[in-house]
Amino acid sequence: SELVSLTVPSGTDESILESLEVVLCVNLSIEESGCFCFLGASEGGKRILESACEVIEAKLIEMAQGAKIDLEFISDWSEYQTRIKKEACVSHSNVSDQLNVLQGDVYRMPRGVTFDFYSRVQATLLPFFIEAATPIDLSDPKWTVYLNISTPSTPSSDSHRVCRAFMTTYNYFRFPEGLRVRISQILVFPRFQSARLGSSLYTAVTGALRADEECAEICVEDPTDGFERLRGICDFLAWQVALKKNNIVDDSTLESSLKITKDHAERLRILAEYLESKQQKSSTVKRSKTSASPASCVDEGLRKRIKLNLLRKFRKDLPDSQSERFQKLTELFESEVEEFLVPVSERIVSEL
């Protein structure tokens, strides 16, 4: 099951807020075809939250009906836990035989299993984790769902295989031939986070797509800052592996070998130059104890390259006024260095 903590309604007495919590737990078993959940509030100020629970329950029922699934609410927490344990001991159809293994615990979901499982996730949990998430049309064969699924402790175990993370992709035609695969959604459920499941899922899926001759390019739909950092780390490491494997000295084949867009490739090249610059400085200059920002320490040549790339990327969004345009570009530059280059480079150094 997966637990979701929801914010209480506005207008609630602030003196009570610290002791209040609305909890939603949804069964995420791969084998279980039904959908049951627990929805309740903490004991402190429970009556205040009853109306909030009713609103959430009504919304969940509406979403479940739209997905044409039966949603069962269990009001007692101990009863919910007992139900989870009971269901885990029931013999189900062997879904494992229908899963297409990509790498480790990462699977490509066949259409029948996808319809059953993902429809439950989409109707219950997705709206709470992905802002402005829109349901995908599972009847469209261009959608593909990938899951990271826990492995039973023993081969003979009847315990449920639980989804820990998922990714969805959509295929577009890319002129003159091949497919442009767009990553639409990726989510690691809260209790499985900070275990590198997101990076392993991304690496497994993009690795399979790069090996697929039909796939010509991999892109991402409206990535968050966190996902941009994850993508930067994973793709940079994949690039370094490709260079060593093929004995390539330059980066001329970066786009084609990783099947990435030109903008993302340029970002990786800038990252490589930033890493090299940091390594050179660390070997020749003692670390300064001043409070200078990371952005102010970037070499002039790299600074111009970063700003030029940002100018190409955000040209349509920049103000018309020259002074405002300069100020906005400076802000974008500082953000690019401090929120992308610095954390990504630190993670890469720890990985290499």
Side-chain angles (χ1 to χ4, degrees):
S1 62
E2 185 55 54
L3 179 146
V4 183
S5 294
L6 306 167
T7 55
V8 297
S10 59
T12 305
D13 188 344
E14 291 185 3
S15 63
I16 306 176
L17 282 179
E18 294 180 359
S19 63
L20 298 184
E21 185 178 39
V22 178
V23 176
L24 168 68
C25 293
V26 180
N27 174 32
L28 283 183
S29 166
I30 302 299
E31 287 89 349
E32 175 63 36
S33 59
C35 187
F36 57 91
C37 66
F38 167 81
L39 177 64
S42 57
E43 290 300 322
K46 190 170 182 177
R47 284 179 299 177
I48 296 177
L49 291 182
E50 285 180 353
S51 59
C53 288
E54 290 174 0
V55 172
I56 296 168
E57 181 175 340
K59 183 63 178 177
L60 286 170
I61 291 175
E62 179 185 344
M63 291 189 294
Q65 289 176 341
K68 297 180 180 180
I69 62 173
D70 295 325
L71 181 61
E72 177 186 356
F73 284 93
I74 299 176
S75 58
D76 182 75
W77 174 244
S78 60
E79 181 182 344
Y80 175 81
Q81 291 178 306
T82 301
R83 175 73 175 273
I84 287 287
K85 293 177 182 178
K86 179 181 178 182
E87 292 292 330
C89 298
V90 176
S91 176
H92 298 280
S93 59
N94 192 359
V95 175
S96 303
D97 292 340
Q98 304 176 52
L99 301 177
N100 302 314
V101 182
L102 287 189
Q103 178 182 315
D105 292 334
V106 178
Y107 301 83
R108 181 190 293 110
M109 300 296 287
R111 190 142 303 275
V113 178
T114 298
F115 266 75
D116 178 56
F117 173 77
Y118 190 76
S119 60
R120 285 185 279 135
V121 174
Q122 187 165 267
T124 53
L125 293 175
L126 202 59
F128 299 110
F129 293 114
I130 299 180
E131 186 177 357
T134 55
I136 67 174
D137 181 7
L138 292 173
S139 64
D140 187 342
K142 294 179 182 178
W143 282 105
T144 304
V145 179
Y146 302 89
L147 303 180
N148 180 294
I149 306 173
S150 63
T151 304
S153 54
T154 61
S156 60
S157 174
D158 286 330
S159 60
H160 283 197
R161 298 166 63 83
V162 175
C163 174
R164 298 179 294 193
F166 74 86
M167 176 191 290
T168 61
T169 64
Y170 192 81
N171 296 340
Y172 290 90
F173 174 71
R174 183 178 186 270
F175 183 83
E177 59 183 1
L179 298 174
R180 174 183 286 111
V181 180
R182 184 190 67 187
I183 297 173
S184 178
Q185 301 166 336
I186 180 170
L187 173 67
V188 179
F189 290 111
R191 65 192 177 105
F192 301 115
Q193 291 175 3
S194 301
R196 300 193 175 185
L197 294 179
S199 57
S200 65
L201 176 59
Y202 177 85
T203 300
V205 173
T206 54
L209 292 174
R210 286 164 188 155
D212 185 351
E213 294 183 357
E214 279 194 297
C215 176
E217 185 179 88
I218 305 169
C219 56
V220 183
E221 177 187 9
D222 299 329
T224 62
D225 291 341
F227 183 74
E228 286 281 55
R229 288 190 287 270
L230 181 146
R231 180 165 66 138
I233 294 166
C234 294
D235 287 349
F236 186 89
L237 294 174
W239 178 26
Q240 299 308 300
V241 170
L243 290 175
K244 293 178 181 178
K245 182 179 179 181
N246 299 311
N247 295 317
I248 300 173
V249 179
D250 59 41
D251 60 6
S252 60
T253 61
L254 175 55
E255 288 96 332
S256 59
S257 61
L258 295 191
K259 298 184 178 181
I260 57 178
T261 62
K262 291 182 179 180
D263 288 343
H264 185 44
E266 177 62 11
R267 205 178 195 188
L268 293 184
R269 292 188 179 100
I270 290 173
L271 177 58
E273 186 175 339
Y274 179 77
L275 275 166
E276 184 179 357
S277 174
K278 283 188 63 176
Q279 291 171 353
Q280 289 175 349
K281 288 180 179 180
S282 64
S283 62
T284 58
V285 182
K286 291 183 179 179
R287 179 169 294 184
S288 173
K289 293 184 179 181
T290 63
S291 58
S293 68
S296 64
C297 299
V298 177
D299 295 335
E300 185 61 27
L302 180 57
R303 180 187 297 269
K304 289 181 178 179
R305 185 175 183 180
I306 294 172
K307 286 188 174 182
L308 181 60
N309 192 46
L310 291 170
L311 184 60
R312 284 195 297 262
K313 183 178 180 180
F314 297 104
R315 186 182 299 275
K316 295 180 180 180
D317 301 322
L318 294 174
D320 294 331
S321 167
Q322 187 173 354
S323 59
E324 293 179 359
R325 193 181 187 87
F326 177 81
Q327 178 61 31
K328 182 62 177 179
L329 194 59
T330 301
E331 293 173 0
L332 289 171
F333 167 76
E334 292 174 351
S335 176
E336 178 72 2
V337 174
E338 296 174 11
E339 297 181 19
F340 179 78
L341 291 176
V342 171
V344 170
S345 63
E346 290 176 351
R347 174 68 181 274
I348 289 172
V349 169
S350 69
E351 293 282 345
L352 292 176

